[in-house]
Amino acid sequence: MIYLDNGATSFPKPPGVLEAVLAALSQPASPGRSGHRPAHEAAKTVYRARRNLGALLGFPNLERVAFTPNVTVAINLALNGFRFRAGDRIISSALEHNSVARPLKLLTETAGVIWDLVYPREDGLVHAADFGKAIRPETRLAAVCHASNVTGAIAPAREIKEALGDIPLLLDVAQSAGSLSLGDLGSYADLVAFTGHKGLLGPTGTGGLWIREGLPTRPLAVGGSGSRSESLEHPDFLPDALEAGTLNVHGLAGLAAGVDFILEKGAAAVRAGEMELLATFLDALGAVPTATVLGRAIPIAKRVATVSLNLRGWSSSDLAARLEKDYGIMTRAGLHCAPLAHRAMGTFPGGAVRFSFGAFNSPGEALEAARALAALGKEKN
Amino acid sequence: MDSGSGEIILVFASNTRILSAEDFLEERSAPFVLIPVPKEVNPNCGLAISLEEGDAEAVLKVLAEAGLLPESVYYRRGDEFSPREFPWV
């Protein structure tokens, strides 16, 4: 199998991730709920995940990292804190995944929020200046995917924040965390939503939200926290305020190990490897004249290792099916839960086939995928 | 502990705070012991930090500098607990 669907979930996971999950499953796991040694070990496992994420992504205060089951919940949690009212405005890019787009759409319907979209320019990139132009007196938040899960385009997050000024920036790093060197996110983003099972190389069921000091928070659920046990009110301090119920200790053990792998290898080395894969694949696609790459003009330095394309004469679903059947290549066809992005790129509703490379792919696999596309392209032209 | 000097017990609001404090103090080889939170002072289910009375001031000072202060501090002698004030807490 050649696995090129790391944008959906990364595979394989480093051996240390499997070992860490198994080790966590092999002992009791009740973090912060008891005073005995195994409970403390479970709490330390969760703490290690927090600490590693803080180190990799540049979160200055670990107490402001709240774990969630995934990035979608993290984004909903972030939005929930703002208590939006009718007439408030939120800016997002037009490359958002549904994890951002659907909550924003719902806010327009339930709270009367006005949603302003910033479209990519001809170069396939969103530009900070366009976020600046979208600001109105009522703008209360900007929500931006750091890297598109369709085109791989990287949003200039630091420059966007400079354009926003005091308006908080919620950055969705689902496709960039672990792939880009992001050791200073806390210096410009105000809220960071992440998932554990993609570039961070952890298990599914892990994710979280970092929130800058001073920003409002409001839980999506209340209940057990292991703290303030005497009270019927849920605690108001972080992270307990946003972490009702026992955390996914087994998943977080794997996430801590996944981030350990990246920290040991070095985020810059991971990025360099993925850029090599990207360059190899895009270069080899030069021999596939019937391929149309979404955002072909986006330079490699402004992409994560994700390439979506269509092949003349092929539907995206048929192409992905043949890649799997004849070549053992796993890709993802369709709209990638990002209808806005496909509309912006002119590929709605047919979508495209996405090739998303990861930390364990080789240049040979990228070449194999390009060769397969060349052969399938000839078949219908 | 009833050997002439008393015991200082640091109680933290959140589990994450006490783990951060534990990590921080371990890195500095500071003298401390983790104990279940004494029910006489707090109904929570987690852990507290226990210090020799003579070490408390220095430990609390470094925790204050790291932004990792406890929510409350108690002095224990035998079965007697009393709140203890420190300038940083």
Side-chain angles (χ1 to χ4, degrees):
Chain A
M1 174 174 75
I2 297 178
Y3 185 77
L4 302 181
D5 198 14
N6 291 277
T9 194
S10 56
F11 182 85
K13 310 294 184 188
V17 171
L18 280 65
E19 291 160 12
V21 173
L22 189 58
L25 280 165
S26 305
Q27 59 181 344
S30 58
R33 303 303 200 264
S34 308
H36 52 70
R37 187 190 56 74
H40 183 52
E41 286 303 318
K44 284 174 85 164
T45 295
V46 173
Y47 175 73
R48 267 197 299 279
R50 246 185 262 278
R51 188 192 59 195
N52 287 358
L53 286 160
L56 183 69
L57 302 179
F59 300 146
N61 185 341
L62 300 183
E63 292 176 8
R64 302 194 70 81
V65 177
F67 286 121
T68 62
N70 50 56
V71 71
T72 293
V73 172
I75 289 163
N76 278 270
L77 183 58
L79 295 171
N80 197 47
F82 284 87
R83 299 176 188 269
F84 293 107
R85 290 178 300 192
D88 286 345
R89 304 183 82 107
I90 303 174
I91 305 171
S92 85
S93 85
L95 295 176
E96 301 305 318
H97 186 277
N98 275 343
S99 58
V100 168
R102 285 179 174 169
L104 294 189
K105 173 75 162 43
L106 189 63
L107 282 170
T108 66
E109 294 164 359
T110 58
V113 162
I114 300 165
W115 178 14
D116 297 307
L117 283 170
V118 170
Y119 285 85
R121 294 188 189 174
E122 284 289 308
D123 58 8
L125 298 165
V126 292
H127 289 248
D130 296 339
F131 281 84
K133 288 176 195 161
I135 295 170
R136 300 288 178 274
E138 301 81 15
T139 303
R140 292 194 58 205
L141 178 74
V144 179
C145 68
H146 196 201
S148 164
N149 71 315
V150 174
T151 65
I154 298 168
R158 186 186 292 277
E159 291 75 18
I160 289 172
K161 176 57 188 174
E162 285 168 9
L164 291 171
D166 291 336
I167 298 166
L169 170 63
L170 164 58
L171 200 59
D172 165 10
V173 298
Q175 297 290 333
S176 59
S179 293
L180 301 180
S181 294
L182 299 177
D184 57 353
L185 269 182
S187 70
Y188 54 92
D190 297 289
L191 303 108
V192 178
F194 58 90
T195 184
H197 71 104
K198 300 185 193 238
L200 296 177
L201 305 176
T204 53
T206 59
L209 177 70
W210 173 80
I211 308 161
R212 181 182 301 290
E213 191 109 34
L215 286 175
T217 62
R218 185 164 54 133
L220 292 168
V222 297
S225 67
S227 54
R228 293 276 190 273
S229 297
E230 75 282 11
S231 174
L232 291 179
E233 304 288 330
H234 197 75
D236 60 359
F237 50 81
L238 294 182
D240 300 35
L242 304 179
E243 289 182 345
T246 301
L247 290 171
N248 176 6
V249 179
H250 310 126
L252 292 172
L255 175 57
V259 178
D260 255 338
F261 176 89
I262 300 165
L263 288 169
E264 281 167 21
K265 185 170 179 177
V270 174
R271 171 67 175 153
E274 292 191 0
M275 286 178 80
E276 184 190 358
L277 294 168
L278 203 50
T280 301
F281 186 57
L282 288 171
D283 187 51
L285 285 179
V288 189
T290 59
T292 304
V293 174
L294 279 66
R296 182 68 182 85
I298 301 168
I300 285 173
K302 293 186 177 180
R303 282 174 175 273
V304 293
T306 291
V307 177
S308 292
L309 57 81
N310 279 306
L311 207 53
R312 194 167 64 213
W314 288 88
S315 72
S316 62
S317 50
D318 281 355
L319 181 58
R322 281 293 296 281
L323 284 167
E324 178 175 4
K325 182 167 171 282
D326 292 0
Y327 300 92
I329 297 172
M330 309 301 149
T331 59
R332 181 170 172 187
L335 294 174
H336 313 100
C337 295
L340 284 179
H342 277 282
R343 283 184 191 278
M345 302 310 293
T347 44
F348 185 90
V353 179
R354 184 182 70 184
F355 299 75
S356 48
F357 300 91
F360 295 98
N361 287 124
S362 67
E365 289 177 322
L367 287 172
E368 184 63 27
R371 281 190 212 108
L373 286 168
L376 292 169
K378 282 177 187 161
E379 199 177 289
K380 293 215 175 180
N381 288 279
Chain B
M1 182 179 293
D2 194 11
S3 59
S5 73
E7 177 187 9
I8 296 292
I9 296 168
L10 314 185
V11 177
F12 295 78
S14 83
N15 198 47
T16 304
R17 174 69 63 89
I18 193 171
L19 287 158
S20 298
E22 179 193 12
D23 196 36
F24 182 81
L25 294 176
E26 272 180 356
E27 280 177 6
R28 284 152 187 79
S29 302
F32 73 98
V33 178
L34 287 177
I35 59 168
V37 178
K39 295 297 167 277
E40 292 85 345
V41 300
N42 191 293
N44 286 337
C45 349
L47 295 165
I49 285 179
S50 166
L51 304 166
E52 295 277 355
E53 186 180 7
D55 297 324
E57 187 164 327
V59 168
L60 280 164
K61 198 167 185 178
V62 295
L63 287 177
E65 285 165 5
L68 296 173
L69 279 173
E71 183 178 46
S72 50
V73 180
Y74 294 89
Y75 174 73
R76 176 181 191 174
R77 182 180 287 273
D79 293 333
E80 299 290 319
F81 292 83
S82 56
R84 177 63 67 93
E85 298 289 327
F86 281 88
W88 313 282
V89 183

